[in-house]
Amino acid sequence: MKTTVSIIKADVGGYPGHCSVHPDIIAKANSLLKDAKKSGILTDFFVGRCGDDLELIMTHTKDCDNKEVHALAWDVFKKGTEIAKELKLYGAGQDLLSDAFSGNIRGMGPGIAEMEITERKSEPIVCFLMDKTDPGAFNLPIYRMFADPFSTAGLVIDPAMHDGFRFEVLDIYNHKRVFMNTPEETYDLLALIGGKSKYVVKRVYPKKGKLPEDEPAAVISTEKLSLIAGEYVGKDDPVAIVRAQSGLPALGEVLEPFSFPHLVSGWMRGSHVGPMLPVSMEDAMPTRFDGPPRVVALGFQLANGRLVGPVDLFKDIAFDHARRKSLKIAEYMRRHGPFEPHRLPSEDMEYTTLPKVLDKLKSRFEAVK
Ligand code: F6R
Ligand code: MG
Ligand code: MG
């Protein structure tokens, strides 16, 4: 029997501001998902949090995009929004862009990462949860995990990984996708995914043999709120599920890319470049300049759909150095104030509130002879 792992997440109201999720919302989500487990919709679940995002990590035996599971998540977000409204939390219902749920949560605001898998003899997975950034923030670490031999030793050492992996890359503006093989198409792949605001890695597959055909080793949520709503409505704080070990990157190879605090888009007003800060769930409270952007890694073993865990992986002191470095970079970037490259380049500001300010200045420009 197959197991489906679904992370469905939304910001249904922050506390205070865009900082955290109120415990009452987490308690409500836990109680609703517990009922769903009793009634057989879910096999297991874990309610997580990263910054102001409520993260529903669920397992079940239905397919991806299942109506019942999506309706359940939608119901949790709606009821969470009711609590947020009662407590006057900030941005209550922020990520629920529509009122009319019609069977699939896709395109309605929440972020979704799902994979239907045949559980291996032992199935370690890592659920990554990010806040104050966008889906392109996963491009670099996912590339490093599955294609960079300086990060993942198994690509060189393990014959089961030596063939490389296949990347599914989305052009999120034109709704197109392309599959690319590494190592042979590495340079072409990097030519695309280095442009992380347009091209985002959606899934990674092993090339052959290790997993039943068409089963991914990694999946990333790629929803862009601004492209759904047509204007700035908050960031698209992404999540990802990565399978580890036995011919896939080892747990430590899955985590290794985050020892480098790479620069991502997001942070204050979704308009700035800043370093990623790997933290425990407890420390996922973006405060300084509404950030810096955070990533949490929750590790589980799957046992016939049961989520054994989590282990809060970035709690490890081995990531202290990355954190110190990230905070130093944050300080350096902040000193640039409103100047690029701390502020996003103009083309990436299109879906922020800046165009409204620039519009007012348009009429004051005169021709220069
Ligand atoms: C970033 C984010 C925050 C808000 C900022 C302004 O993803 O959500 O940085 O953009 O706090 O929020 P408003 O305009 O709601 O006061
Ligand atoms: Mg928010
Ligand atoms: Mg958020």
Side-chain angles (χ1 to χ4, degrees):
M1 194 164 52
K2 288 196 169 193
T3 299
T4 302
V5 186
S6 303
I7 310 183
I8 307 186
K9 49 95 23 194
D11 176 351
V12 298
Y15 144 85
H18 293 282
C19 179
S20 186
V21 181
H22 193 279
D24 288 1
I25 294 182
I26 294 182
K28 186 73 183 174
N30 268 307
S31 117
L32 291 168
L33 295 192
K34 198 170 161 194
D35 291 346
K37 188 174 163 180
K38 258 191 219 146
S39 70
I41 300 175
L42 298 183
T43 311
D44 206 356
F45 68 89
F46 179 81
V47 177
R49 181 190 72 74
C50 185
D52 54 6
D53 293 308
L54 177 66
E55 320 271 0
L56 310 179
I57 301 172
M58 302 174 284
T59 56
H60 50 92
T61 50
K62 300 154 178 51
D63 344 343
C64 296
D65 279 329
N66 177 266
K67 191 174 174 174
E68 241 183 323
V69 174
H70 281 214
L72 170 65
W74 188 252
D75 186 46
V76 173
F77 296 146
K78 282 301 226 191
K79 298 217 162 101
T81 301
E82 281 168 25
I83 295 172
K85 283 186 177 158
E86 237 171 75
L87 300 177
K88 289 181 65 180
L89 300 183
Y90 198 70
Q94 169 181 303
D95 285 357
L96 311 188
L97 301 182
S98 158
D99 262 343
F101 180 79
S102 60
N104 194 313
I105 213 164
R106 219 166 273 286
M108 300 190 71
I112 307 139
E114 296 186 289
M115 51 162 75
E116 187 178 7
I117 61 176
T118 313
E119 277 186 29
R120 296 170 293 164
K121 195 167 139 218
S122 181
E123 187 65 64
I125 61 164
V126 181
C127 297
F128 286 103
L129 319 170
M130 287 184 176
D131 187 40
K132 303 294 180 272
T133 185
D134 63 10
F138 272 110
N139 281 10
L140 184 148
I142 291 282
Y143 171 79
R144 285 237 165 102
M145 277 174 222
F146 289 97
D148 179 2
F150 279 75
S151 190
T152 290
L155 293 167
V156 178
I157 293 170
D158 183 355
M161 291 177 73
H162 207 75
D163 289 335
F165 289 87
R166 194 159 64 102
F167 286 69
E168 178 184 341
V169 177
L170 301 188
D171 170 345
I172 51 176
Y173 286 96
N174 297 307
H175 303 288
K176 290 189 166 172
R177 68 175 176 177
V178 60
F179 289 88
M180 304 196 106
N181 290 331
T182 54
E184 51 293 17
E185 293 180 295
T186 296
Y187 298 162
D188 288 337
L189 175 68
L190 288 172
L192 291 181
I193 66 172
K196 61 185 174 42
S197 59
K198 182 172 183 192
Y199 298 103
V200 296
V201 179
K202 179 67 198 174
R203 290 184 191 83
V204 182
Y205 300 87
K207 264 191 204 146
K208 57 180 175 192
K210 280 168 299 248
L211 298 173
E213 204 153 346
D214 292 332
E215 281 195 16
V219 61
I220 298 104
S221 72
T222 48
E223 283 69 29
K224 287 284 276 184
L225 289 182
S226 56
L227 296 183
I228 297 168
E231 60 175 347
Y232 180 68
V233 281
K235 269 288 160 186
D236 322 291
D237 311 323
V239 292
I241 307 166
V242 180
R243 303 167 78 179
Q245 306 286 158
S246 306
L248 303 179
L251 181 76
E253 290 168 335
V254 169
L255 301 177
E256 178 64 9
F258 294 95
S259 64
F260 170 67
H262 66 301
L263 292 172
V264 300
S265 305
W267 208 348
M268 175 57 77
R269 297 177 186 276
S271 306
H272 292 82
V273 173
M276 189 46 86
L277 182 61
V279 288
S280 67
M281 201 157 64
E282 196 189 334
D283 287 337
M285 291 185 298
T287 53
R288 186 179 180 190
F289 202 52
D290 285 359
R294 309 285 152 131
V295 58
V296 167
L298 301 180
F300 297 92
Q301 287 288 149
L302 285 180
N304 305 314
R306 190 173 148 209
L307 285 161
V308 181
V311 174
D312 195 341
L313 295 160
F314 289 145
K315 230 179 183 170
D316 184 9
I317 54 165
F319 285 91
D320 284 354
H321 182 65
R323 286 188 269 272
R324 275 194 299 272
K325 201 175 203 174
S326 175
L327 296 180
K328 268 192 188 165
I329 296 166
E331 176 62 24
Y332 172 79
M333 296 301 285
R334 277 283 40 239
R335 297 280 72 84
H336 293 78
F339 286 83
E340 297 175 10
H342 182 28
R343 203 202 72 186
L344 290 184
S346 296
E347 58 276 21
D348 290 348
M349 295 294 285
E350 193 186 331
Y351 288 106
T352 69
T353 42
L354 182 72
K356 285 184 187 140
V357 175
L358 296 181
D359 270 354
K360 279 201 300 194
L361 300 178
K362 258 187 192 157
S363 61
R364 293 182 48 191
F365 276 87
E366 46 191 75
V368 181
K369 294 204 174 111

